[in-house]
Amino acid sequence: MAVRIGPILDLEEQMQHDTNGSLRDRLTGEFVDATKRIKRTMDGGVLPTEFVILSKLVAAYDAAVTVVTTVWNSIHGNDTVQSRTVQSRFF
């Protein structure tokens, strides 16, 4: 028997009410836009130390997209196939 605890974060509670996915889409869109801006900066040339830091930031934003999508799908009972579809729209 699975035990479900209540929302841990305010964001998780907001996602419970986000039945149409608009919050999910807005958040993931913001993360993807930030990733694109960082990658443009990296493509323009940065110091090696900056490149390492910016690469980690890109990975963090990518992880945030995965977390938001996964949590939303978990709350709303959607499968992982849809999760991959949602992510593929942004990449």
Side-chain angles (χ1 to χ4, degrees):
M1 176 167 96
V3 176
R4 173 77 174 136
I5 59 173
I8 296 172
L9 303 172
D10 180 53
L11 180 57
E12 187 178 1
E13 188 171 328
Q14 290 176 36
M15 283 199 279
Q16 288 178 344
H17 301 287
D18 182 39
T19 56
N20 66 358
S22 60
L23 175 63
R24 176 205 58 210
D25 293 346
R26 182 176 54 84
L27 291 172
T28 56
E30 289 175 11
F31 296 147
V32 169
D33 289 345
T35 298
K36 289 177 183 178
R37 285 191 304 273
I38 293 166
K39 287 182 178 181
R40 278 194 300 272
T41 299
M42 293 168 72
D43 290 344
V46 294
L47 296 172
T49 53
E50 292 173 329
F51 187 88
V52 170
I53 292 168
L54 293 174
S55 295
K56 290 178 181 179
L57 191 53
V58 166
Y61 278 123
D62 288 344
V65 169
T66 300
V67 168
V68 167
T69 304
T70 301
V71 169
W72 190 92
N73 285 333
S74 174
I75 290 169
H76 296 285
N78 295 340
D79 62 14
T80 57
V81 172
Q82 183 172 0
S83 173
R84 287 192 296 270
T85 302
V86 168
Q87 288 180 0
S88 69
R89 287 189 315 156
F90 298 105
F91 298 102

